[in-house]
Amino acid sequence: MLDVTHEEWLRRAKSLEPSGAHHIDGVDEPGGGAGYAVVSPRDGQVLAEVADAGAAEVDAAVAAARRAFDAGPWPRLAPADRGRVLLRIADLLEERREELALTVSLEMGKPITDAYGIELRAAISTFRWYGQLADKLTDESPHTAPDALALVTSEPAGVVGAVVPWNFPLTLASWKVAPALAAGCTVVLKPSENAPLSALLLGRLATEAGLPPGVLNVVNGNGPVAGRALGLHPDVDVLAFTGSTAVGRHFLRYSADSNLKRVWLELGGKSPNIILPDAPDLARAAATAAWGIFFNQGEMCTAPSRLLVHSSIAEQVTEAVVARARELRVGDPLDPATEMGALVGESHLERVLGHIATGLDEGARLRVGGGRTLAESGGSFLRPTVFDRVDPGMRLSREEIFGPVLSVLAFDDLDEAVRLANATEYGLAAGLWTSDLSTAHKVSRALKAGTVWVNCYEEGDLTVPFGGVKQSGNGRDKSVHALEKYTELKTTWIQL
């Protein structure tokens, strides 16, 4: 891990001067309208003034992407040549890793150790993995009658609109941009208005790496204006979105009201984490449950926010999680000793506090936390929070909170655990802790989720797909399967 002190990070933060210009057609564009301030959740101070895209800026970005796809070299390059550019992007991200980690930490409140060690590692690995994959793909030639030849080829789908949230601003952008570029598409990326600065720097580094003008464009802006313009744009062929289920519905409507563009959605979650009495290591299961809900301030769609524990061990496990919550170090994201940073902003903090108040009103028992902390800093900090005696009908158990708030539900048998786990409109992820191999297979099959972790949580690498079912969305990020979102299959039948 990088050996940089708190004082040094503070010094670097003071000298950081992030650019807020859009990056369109290979150059920075200041935009034609008024901008807005990006505020750091660590202290409430303005980080930068950034350009705010309206329909005109989105049109310019899409037009650049369209030209680059229809007439530019990128889709026509040999896959190995595209791969080399992606590898160069990965190298530049590595070279600027400290600056990018600092930017991420400042703009969304993530601890600097996580920004550098997890967020940037994931972004760099993603570009490197797809860069190495680019020339390893093959098309198909199915066996047909002797007098015919059939070819099934994958072709780049065209212009991709990618809209990503603030909780992992570089990781989630990379999960969409890297496979889209590897497939030969061009991209218009719209980061969250809360955390656009790292994505803007990604766009500039991609151009520096040799990406032709117009292949990757980055525009700031809010969802109702810039996001809507991108979703409705007739020259966008594919829309890939990570965010809330409510906004995902809007993108489906935009598709229906425009050109029927394909829409791929990675949406919310209310993920269950089931701990059985025969868990191989109960202490590790409890520690992982605590890490999972408090990591990244709980601002994760996969957060194991519903802890389902067998009644015979419920108090033991809950007390272990509560003890960890009490000792967790909440503090300045730029302090390497900080374990949980700030929520992304005041409005989100108030929303999470509203969920906590609702939980109390509904009769759940607050075991620890429940209020803000470090208010004197000017930042948006919340104490790690645990509720037990949660009823499955409570909003605490049903609604995505997107904060460090854990709901503990007890069950008496395995069938009840599965019913509780599946009693949600979401289906993104789930966890299961057991020593029984048969139980692991049977329950994993019964859980309605895109990913099931057994005796671990949040594990995996780029070889495996990520995505959800039900109202957690469709399509997959990561792995070879991500390319399916950005390619079209063409059948060519040749009569011999």
Side-chain angles (χ1 to χ4, degrees):
M1 177 56 198
L2 187 66
D3 185 19
V4 179
T5 65
H6 187 194
E7 293 71 22
E8 175 62 16
W9 283 121
L10 291 173
R11 187 192 67 77
R12 295 183 188 185
K14 288 180 180 179
S15 62
L16 190 69
E17 296 182 352
S19 171
H22 310 300
H23 191 72
I24 299 174
D25 211 11
V27 297
D28 285 355
E29 294 287 352
Y36 68 92
V38 175
V39 175
S40 176
R42 66 176 288 268
D43 57 6
Q45 299 300 306
V46 173
L47 278 176
E49 294 286 334
V50 301
D52 191 6
E57 287 80 10
V58 172
D59 277 344
V62 174
R66 186 84 265 164
R67 287 192 301 271
F69 185 79
D70 289 346
W74 186 253
R76 296 157 188 86
L77 285 179
D81 293 333
R82 290 201 295 265
R84 277 188 278 273
V85 177
L86 295 185
L87 293 173
R88 178 60 180 151
I89 294 173
D91 290 343
L92 288 178
L93 291 174
E94 186 70 73
E95 290 175 20
R96 304 284 286 275
R97 186 170 179 171
E98 294 178 30
E99 178 187 355
L100 285 159
L102 178 59
T103 303
V104 168
S105 186
L106 287 170
E107 68 183 348
M108 61 75 58
K110 188 191 304 285
I112 188 67
T113 51
D114 292 342
Y116 182 90
I118 298 176
E119 176 99 17
L120 265 298
R121 182 187 66 198
I124 293 164
S125 297
T126 301
F127 276 98
R128 190 156 286 145
W129 197 84
Y130 284 104
Q132 293 167 342
L133 178 69
D135 64 346
K136 311 297 190 299
L137 304 171
T138 58
D139 291 321
E140 304 171 34
S141 180
H143 289 184
T144 64
D147 62 347
L149 173 66
L151 303 175
V152 180
T153 53
S154 293
E155 300 183 351
V159 175
V160 174
V163 181
V164 297
W166 43 261
N167 58 326
F168 287 89
L170 278 180
T171 299
L172 297 178
S174 300
W175 283 6
K176 289 172 172 43
V177 171
L181 295 180
C185 294
T186 58
V187 181
V188 178
L189 172 66
K190 193 203 87 65
S192 165
E193 57 268 35
N194 291 317
L197 300 173
S198 56
L200 289 167
L201 183 49
L202 168 63
R204 297 183 191 100
L205 292 178
T207 296
E208 183 181 337
L211 211 59
V215 174
L216 176 59
N217 311 273
V218 187
V219 291
N220 309 310
N222 63 57
V225 177
R228 181 176 184 274
L230 199 57
L232 287 170
H233 207 290
D235 275 336
V236 173
D237 302 296
V238 175
L239 196 291
F241 170 71
T242 294
S244 72
T245 300
V247 175
R249 296 180 194 277
H250 285 299
F251 280 112
L252 290 174
R253 295 186 187 103
Y254 299 153
S255 171
D257 290 341
S258 57
N259 60 341
L260 294 177
K261 59 178 64 64
R262 286 189 292 160
V263 176
W264 301 106
L265 303 172
E266 195 272 281
L267 307 176
K270 193 70 177 176
S271 298
N273 187 21
I274 304 170
I275 301 181
L276 300 178
D278 69 340
D281 185 337
L282 210 54
R284 187 167 71 89
T288 303
W291 171 83
I293 188 60
F294 302 136
F295 170 62
N296 209 54
Q297 303 72 247
E299 295 166 327
M300 296 203 307
C301 50
T302 55
S305 54
R306 291 187 296 145
L307 180 57
L308 310 184
V309 193
H310 191 274
S311 55
S312 66
I313 57 170
E315 182 55 31
Q316 176 186 353
V317 171
T318 303
E319 184 52 45
V321 174
V322 168
R324 177 61 184 136
R326 289 196 178 106
E327 70 183 19
L328 199 70
R329 180 162 179 172
V330 181
D332 183 2
L334 298 188
D335 185 348
T338 291
E339 295 175 289
M340 195 175 93
L343 272 66
V344 73
E346 282 297 302
S347 62
H348 184 58
L349 174 61
E350 291 300 325
R351 178 181 174 275
V352 175
L353 288 169
H355 279 286
I356 292 171
T358 298
L360 292 170
D361 291 343
E362 289 181 326
R365 181 172 67 167
L366 180 64
R367 295 291 298 267
V368 68
R372 70 182 302 160
T373 186
L374 302 176
E376 70 280 0
S377 70
S380 305
F381 296 91
L382 181 70
R383 294 189 182 94
T385 300
V386 177
F387 282 94
D388 68 357
R389 298 179 183 173
V390 176
D391 184 89
M394 293 179 179
R395 290 174 61 186
L396 272 179
S397 183
R398 294 184 292 106
E399 297 181 3
E400 185 178 39
I401 298 175
F402 222 66
V405 181
L406 181 66
S407 298
V408 182
L409 297 86
F411 62 86
D412 293 320
D413 58 56
L414 197 54
D415 289 341
E416 182 185 7
V418 172
R419 285 196 303 271
L420 288 172
N422 289 335
T424 172
E425 65 187 22
Y426 298 110
L428 188 56
L432 172 66
W433 296 80
T434 180
S435 292
D436 187 274
L437 182 61
S438 180
T439 298
H441 281 293
K442 288 179 178 178
V443 174
S444 296
R445 290 177 180 180
L447 293 174
K448 306 301 182 186
T451 299
V452 178
W453 288 290
V454 179
N455 296 331
C456 61
Y457 206 90
E458 287 293 345
E459 297 295 337
D461 59 25
L462 283 159
T463 64
V464 294
F466 174 82
V469 298
K470 299 196 288 189
Q471 293 188 36
S472 287
N474 54 56
R476 295 295 183 265
D477 288 325
K478 297 170 54 187
S479 82
V480 176
H481 295 284
L483 296 167
E484 297 165 7
K485 299 193 295 187
Y486 309 114
T487 54
E488 297 280 9
L489 291 180
K490 174 181 286 184
T491 296
T492 302
W493 186 278
I494 302 173
Q495 195 68 41
L496 301 180

PDB file of all heavy atoms in Angstrom, residues 33 70 77 79 198 226 237 250 255-256 268 338 348 373 472:
ATOM      1  N   GLY A  33     -23.223  26.889 -21.101  1.00  0.00           N
ATOM      2  CA  GLY A  33     -24.109  27.407 -20.074  1.00  0.00           C
ATOM      3  C   GLY A  33     -23.396  27.591 -18.744  1.00  0.00           C
ATOM      4  O   GLY A  33     -22.176  27.473 -18.629  1.00  0.00           O
ATOM      5  N   ASP A  70     -18.730   5.988 -37.468  1.00  0.00           N
ATOM      6  CA  ASP A  70     -19.112   5.792 -38.871  1.00  0.00           C
ATOM      7  C   ASP A  70     -17.942   5.962 -39.834  1.00  0.00           C
ATOM      8  O   ASP A  70     -17.885   5.288 -40.872  1.00  0.00           O
ATOM      9  CB  ASP A  70     -20.224   6.775 -39.255  1.00  0.00           C
ATOM     10  CG  ASP A  70     -21.551   6.435 -38.596  1.00  0.00           C
ATOM     11  OD1 ASP A  70     -21.685   5.310 -38.065  1.00  0.00           O
ATOM     12  OD2 ASP A  70     -22.453   7.303 -38.598  1.00  0.00           O
ATOM     13  N   LEU A  77      -9.919  -0.781 -36.701  1.00  0.00           N
ATOM     14  CA  LEU A  77      -8.598  -1.226 -36.295  1.00  0.00           C
ATOM     15  C   LEU A  77      -8.591  -2.729 -36.045  1.00  0.00           C
ATOM     16  O   LEU A  77      -9.608  -3.316 -35.670  1.00  0.00           O
ATOM     17  CB  LEU A  77      -8.171  -0.526 -35.004  1.00  0.00           C
ATOM     18  CG  LEU A  77      -7.730   0.932 -35.080  1.00  0.00           C
ATOM     19  CD1 LEU A  77      -7.375   1.425 -33.685  1.00  0.00           C
ATOM     20  CD2 LEU A  77      -6.549   1.115 -36.019  1.00  0.00           C
ATOM     21  N   PRO A  79      -8.184  -5.812 -33.807  1.00  0.00           N
ATOM     22  CA  PRO A  79      -8.429  -5.909 -32.370  1.00  0.00           C
ATOM     23  C   PRO A  79      -7.159  -5.767 -31.534  1.00  0.00           C
ATOM     24  O   PRO A  79      -7.190  -5.164 -30.453  1.00  0.00           O
ATOM     25  CB  PRO A  79      -9.056  -7.288 -32.220  1.00  0.00           C
ATOM     26  CG  PRO A  79      -9.744  -7.534 -33.522  1.00  0.00           C
ATOM     27  CD  PRO A  79      -8.850  -6.902 -34.553  1.00  0.00           C
ATOM     28  N   SER A 198     -13.047  12.622 -11.486  1.00  0.00           N
ATOM     29  CA  SER A 198     -12.160  11.513 -11.845  1.00  0.00           C
ATOM     30  C   SER A 198     -12.489  10.968 -13.228  1.00  0.00           C
ATOM     31  O   SER A 198     -11.588  10.584 -13.988  1.00  0.00           O
ATOM     32  CB  SER A 198     -12.240  10.410 -10.791  1.00  0.00           C
ATOM     33  OG  SER A 198     -13.569   9.965 -10.600  1.00  0.00           O
ATOM     34  N   ALA A 226     -29.008  16.148 -18.836  1.00  0.00           N
ATOM     35  CA  ALA A 226     -28.003  15.468 -19.658  1.00  0.00           C
ATOM     36  C   ALA A 226     -28.305  13.981 -19.802  1.00  0.00           C
ATOM     37  O   ALA A 226     -28.197  13.416 -20.894  1.00  0.00           O
ATOM     38  CB  ALA A 226     -26.622  15.680 -19.056  1.00  0.00           C
ATOM     39  N   ASP A 237     -26.883   4.101 -29.857  1.00  0.00           N
ATOM     40  CA  ASP A 237     -27.350   2.752 -30.187  1.00  0.00           C
ATOM     41  C   ASP A 237     -27.553   1.866 -28.966  1.00  0.00           C
ATOM     42  O   ASP A 237     -28.394   0.955 -28.979  1.00  0.00           O
ATOM     43  CB  ASP A 237     -26.349   2.081 -31.134  1.00  0.00           C
ATOM     44  CG  ASP A 237     -26.147   2.873 -32.408  1.00  0.00           C
ATOM     45  OD1 ASP A 237     -27.120   3.013 -33.176  1.00  0.00           O
ATOM     46  OD2 ASP A 237     -25.025   3.364 -32.637  1.00  0.00           O
ATOM     47  N   HIS A 250     -36.712   5.194 -16.147  1.00  0.00           N
ATOM     48  CA  HIS A 250     -36.713   6.334 -17.073  1.00  0.00           C
ATOM     49  C   HIS A 250     -35.959   5.988 -18.356  1.00  0.00           C
ATOM     50  O   HIS A 250     -36.409   6.330 -19.463  1.00  0.00           O
ATOM     51  CB  HIS A 250     -36.079   7.558 -16.413  1.00  0.00           C
ATOM     52  CG  HIS A 250     -36.939   8.236 -15.404  1.00  0.00           C
ATOM     53  ND1 HIS A 250     -38.166   8.783 -15.707  1.00  0.00           N
ATOM     54  CD2 HIS A 250     -36.759   8.451 -14.081  1.00  0.00           C
ATOM     55  CE1 HIS A 250     -38.703   9.321 -14.624  1.00  0.00           C
ATOM     56  NE2 HIS A 250     -37.864   9.124 -13.620  1.00  0.00           N
ATOM     57  N   SER A 255     -35.843   4.932 -24.218  1.00  0.00           N
ATOM     58  CA  SER A 255     -35.614   4.044 -25.354  1.00  0.00           C
ATOM     59  C   SER A 255     -36.893   3.865 -26.160  1.00  0.00           C
ATOM     60  O   SER A 255     -36.893   3.944 -27.398  1.00  0.00           O
ATOM     61  CB  SER A 255     -35.102   2.688 -24.868  1.00  0.00           C
ATOM     62  OG  SER A 255     -35.061   1.750 -25.916  1.00  0.00           O
ATOM     63  N   ALA A 256     -38.001   3.633 -25.463  1.00  0.00           N
ATOM     64  CA  ALA A 256     -39.282   3.428 -26.146  1.00  0.00           C
ATOM     65  C   ALA A 256     -39.709   4.677 -26.903  1.00  0.00           C
ATOM     66  O   ALA A 256     -40.336   4.585 -27.970  1.00  0.00           O
ATOM     67  CB  ALA A 256     -40.348   3.020 -25.137  1.00  0.00           C
ATOM     68  N   GLY A 268     -30.509  -1.319  -8.239  1.00  0.00           N
ATOM     69  CA  GLY A 268     -30.343  -1.401  -6.798  1.00  0.00           C
ATOM     70  C   GLY A 268     -30.313  -2.817  -6.260  1.00  0.00           C
ATOM     71  O   GLY A 268     -30.449  -3.801  -6.985  1.00  0.00           O
ATOM     72  N   THR A 338      -8.313   6.088   8.578  1.00  0.00           N
ATOM     73  CA  THR A 338      -9.776   6.076   8.518  1.00  0.00           C
ATOM     74  C   THR A 338     -10.278   4.789   7.879  1.00  0.00           C
ATOM     75  O   THR A 338      -9.780   4.358   6.844  1.00  0.00           O
ATOM     76  CB  THR A 338     -10.288   7.295   7.725  1.00  0.00           C
ATOM     77  OG1 THR A 338     -10.032   8.473   8.485  1.00  0.00           O
ATOM     78  CG2 THR A 338     -11.782   7.198   7.441  1.00  0.00           C
ATOM     79  N   HIS A 348     -27.874  13.244   0.717  1.00  0.00           N
ATOM     80  CA  HIS A 348     -27.896  11.782   0.877  1.00  0.00           C
ATOM     81  C   HIS A 348     -27.856  11.407   2.357  1.00  0.00           C
ATOM     82  O   HIS A 348     -28.535  10.455   2.780  1.00  0.00           O
ATOM     83  CB  HIS A 348     -26.726  11.159   0.138  1.00  0.00           C
ATOM     84  CG  HIS A 348     -26.730   9.657   0.162  1.00  0.00           C
ATOM     85  ND1 HIS A 348     -27.784   8.917  -0.325  1.00  0.00           N
ATOM     86  CD2 HIS A 348     -25.829   8.760   0.654  1.00  0.00           C
ATOM     87  CE1 HIS A 348     -27.531   7.621  -0.150  1.00  0.00           C
ATOM     88  NE2 HIS A 348     -26.352   7.505   0.439  1.00  0.00           N
ATOM     89  N   THR A 373     -22.133  12.126  12.893  1.00  0.00           N
ATOM     90  CA  THR A 373     -20.980  12.373  13.735  1.00  0.00           C
ATOM     91  C   THR A 373     -20.036  13.322  13.008  1.00  0.00           C
ATOM     92  O   THR A 373     -20.193  13.567  11.804  1.00  0.00           O
ATOM     93  CB  THR A 373     -20.257  11.047  14.085  1.00  0.00           C
ATOM     94  OG1 THR A 373     -19.219  11.312  15.016  1.00  0.00           O
ATOM     95  CG2 THR A 373     -19.675  10.383  12.847  1.00  0.00           C
ATOM     96  N   SER A 472     -33.239  -5.633 -10.037  1.00  0.00           N
ATOM     97  CA  SER A 472     -31.839  -5.223  -9.971  1.00  0.00           C
ATOM     98  C   SER A 472     -31.223  -5.087 -11.359  1.00  0.00           C
ATOM     99  O   SER A 472     -30.047  -4.748 -11.480  1.00  0.00           O
ATOM    100  CB  SER A 472     -31.025  -6.225  -9.149  1.00  0.00           C
ATOM    101  OG  SER A 472     -31.315  -6.099  -7.778  1.00  0.00           O
TER     102      SER A 472
END
